[in-house]
Amino acid sequence: MNKPKKQERDLPNFYLTHMQFPTENRQNVVAFLLLFMDFLGVLPLLSDPFHRGFFWAGMIPVILMNMCGIVYLVAPFKFERSYFLYMGVLGVAVAYLYFIVSQKLMYVHVGVEGPLYGVISAVLLVAALVFFQIFNYRMLYSGPMTGWMRILQASICPRSLLRQVWDTSGLNSCSL
């Protein structure tokens, strides 16, 4: 009988049981692009009163992300490796688009004047993006059975979180 490769054998059960297929990647790209970016992001930019500056500031990332998303619709198996990078960039682009929408709401609809609100909200946007990048990096490289892995397993088997608090070995007896 063939022994499994060392890499396959060392993967935790969670990753093996929760992998996504490229066809699901295609569905996720369509859902996130159409719902979060094209529908919820572009419609407020087109609302009355129309402002050309806010529209083009928001449409440039929308056009770029839609052009890059076509790749995952046409050939999801070929570009399977870059999917997670694309989804991360899409998340940053959606955050920027919602920032532009909120700026339009405040400056055009509410009537805020002066650059102070825009500067403060831009600094908060950048601070939030940097914070979550550092947070995700630390959680990713925090060791076996800690960080996001523990949170995800707790959402699947809630009793395992209580067991892991008392069991420092990190082994989980919850069957997935």
Side-chain angles (χ1 to χ4, degrees):
M1 206 165 168
N2 293 338
K3 285 186 176 179
K5 294 179 185 176
K6 184 174 173 38
Q7 292 175 342
E8 292 175 2
R9 188 178 60 225
D10 291 342
L11 285 174
N13 273 344
F14 180 81
Y15 291 121
L16 293 175
T17 57
H18 293 86
M19 288 174 47
Q20 268 186 240
F21 293 106
T23 54
E24 294 172 356
N25 294 351
R26 177 188 294 165
Q27 295 167 356
N28 288 343
V29 168
V30 169
F32 283 110
L33 271 177
L34 290 179
L35 179 66
F36 293 116
M37 189 166 255
D38 294 341
F39 184 69
L40 294 175
V42 174
L43 280 181
L45 293 177
L46 293 172
S47 68
D48 193 36
F50 181 78
H51 193 276
R52 185 176 295 177
F54 288 116
F55 176 75
W56 284 111
M59 282 306 292
I60 291 172
V62 170
I63 292 169
L64 291 174
M65 294 309 292
N66 279 307
M67 287 173 35
C68 293
I70 291 172
V71 170
Y72 298 100
L73 298 178
V74 173
F77 290 95
K78 184 176 181 182
F79 298 101
E80 183 179 1
R81 289 183 178 174
S82 64
Y83 165 76
F84 292 105
L85 177 64
Y86 173 76
M87 291 304 283
V89 173
L90 180 66
V92 172
V94 167
Y96 170 75
L97 181 64
Y98 289 172
F99 167 74
I100 295 296
V101 168
S102 70
Q103 296 302 304
K104 180 188 176 191
L105 175 73
M106 293 305 288
Y107 280 106
V108 176
H109 294 284
V110 176
V112 173
E113 295 178 1
L116 185 62
Y117 175 76
V119 171
I120 289 173
S121 57
V123 167
L124 288 175
L125 173 72
V126 170
L129 290 174
V130 169
F131 169 77
F132 282 111
Q133 288 299 319
I134 292 170
F135 178 75
N136 285 330
Y137 180 80
R138 286 186 179 174
M139 293 301 273
L140 182 64
Y141 295 110
S142 61
M145 294 302 292
T146 59
W148 285 117
M149 187 74 169
R150 182 174 287 189
I151 293 169
L152 290 172
Q153 279 192 337
S155 66
I156 294 168
C157 182
R159 290 182 293 167
S160 67
L161 185 62
L162 292 174
R163 198 175 300 125
Q164 287 177 5
V165 169
W166 300 107
D167 181 20
T168 57
S169 67
L171 297 175
N172 185 0
S173 62
C174 180
S175 59
L176 295 175

